[in-house]
Amino acid sequence: MNLAFSRRHVVIAAIAGLAVAASIGAVAAFSSSSAPPGEPAASVQSSSDGGDTAALAAAGAPSSAAASSAAPAKETGPCGRAASGTPVVKVTDVAVGSAVTGYGREGDTDPLPMAIAATPNGGSWLAWLGTNGKVYLGRLGCDDKLVGTPTSFDGIDLQDVSADANGGVLLLTRKGECHAGPLCGGSSSPCNTMHMVRFDNNGRQVWERQVTNLSSSLGGYDDGARFVWWYQHHGRLASDGSNYAAYFGVAITVRNGSCVDIHEGDRMQVVNSGGGLVNHKDAFEVGCSHSWGTRIVWDPRTSHYAMVCATDNNCRIAQPHPYRTVAAGACDNTLFGGDLVLARSSGYWTAWSQGGQARLDHFGTGASDATVKTSAKTAHPHLVTYGTGRMLLAWESGSSMAAQVYDSGSGSAVGAQLTIGVKDHNYQAFKAYPDGSAAYPAAGANSTSIRIARVMPMA
């Protein structure tokens, strides 16, 4: 019998060879409550995302509106972005010169239109999914405008982009082969692969590495395949400074007599600076069963990649490999995993939602030890590191986004709720910059533009 996995509406199926340890911990709750200058378009608002090492040290783009009458704005970082007493949002419409895939239904099996990454010198790499089987990549200056001509790569789905001083890495999906199978049941669907693509500072490919396992002799419908099917396969990147890690949803092929079943889980693979797969202590073939909301961050304090997933295995937010419950949820089809950031001193904060209510949970190597039930009524919260000792929670609010700053130590709210004047997408991410700003890519004014919402640094 082939599993019909439909996001979080699935029935749990055992995956051969996986030992699932589910220890649901009690959650203690507390409530609390070289680039040109920037553009002159700004509004008082705020933003959010799930972090990575760059969340502690990256860069950003300049500002335009004063945020606080109490203290003058101070310029920060290589781009000289103005840091104020309260967050200021600058929105820039970027004409990218080619058609960008639209938001569509924003489902967890649907394509992601765009992603952004912070560069150490204060700019960004902006990636977007075209409508022609290409993933495009353009460099943004300090003003969040395109510098030079975008490049493109073969790709049918964009997952994430990350950057460093020498360029960066794209995570994208490409076409693969299924082979014969046959399936034990259900309908056939294209079998695809997940790739990291390394690019240099000119946006040109340096190497590519498949992080699924298809080959000429192993198709998606062959026993042992780990590939991208119609199942949820969104993914994120993180880096330890030399290696890159990809954590993403994956299809899992298991022989069942004379046919094969296709299950869904997640996978984490690490690739070194030369494009070779690394036998890393944190990597795994399959982690969470029936996984969505795969989030990853490098923690330099522990020298480990930390990860969380949402899973219908006991309907919870969990750490993979081995399974450890972070926060217990409910099997009511509303469980969603948001983003993951480093807490101020130790451990992590993850944003997640149940029943349209966003929560923040703090945890270390096991169950949550603190829960903040936020005022955000949303099914899809975003979280991002926002300067030193702060994080930003953001969510859809009508045709715009709302946001709230939180202390990344105590989890207490900081200041008033803000508005970000761009359209939200359920699965796109804010990215943190080392000057303390955060940026989010969103639908532009037309089909060939993208809006960059930047939450300027706080002093």
Side-chain angles (χ1 to χ4, degrees), residues 118-139:
T119 65
N121 69 354
S124 308
W125 285 103
L126 175 65
W128 64 95
L129 181 63
T131 57
N132 58 352
K134 298 285 187 181
V135 169
Y136 289 84
L137 179 70
R139 188 157 197 163

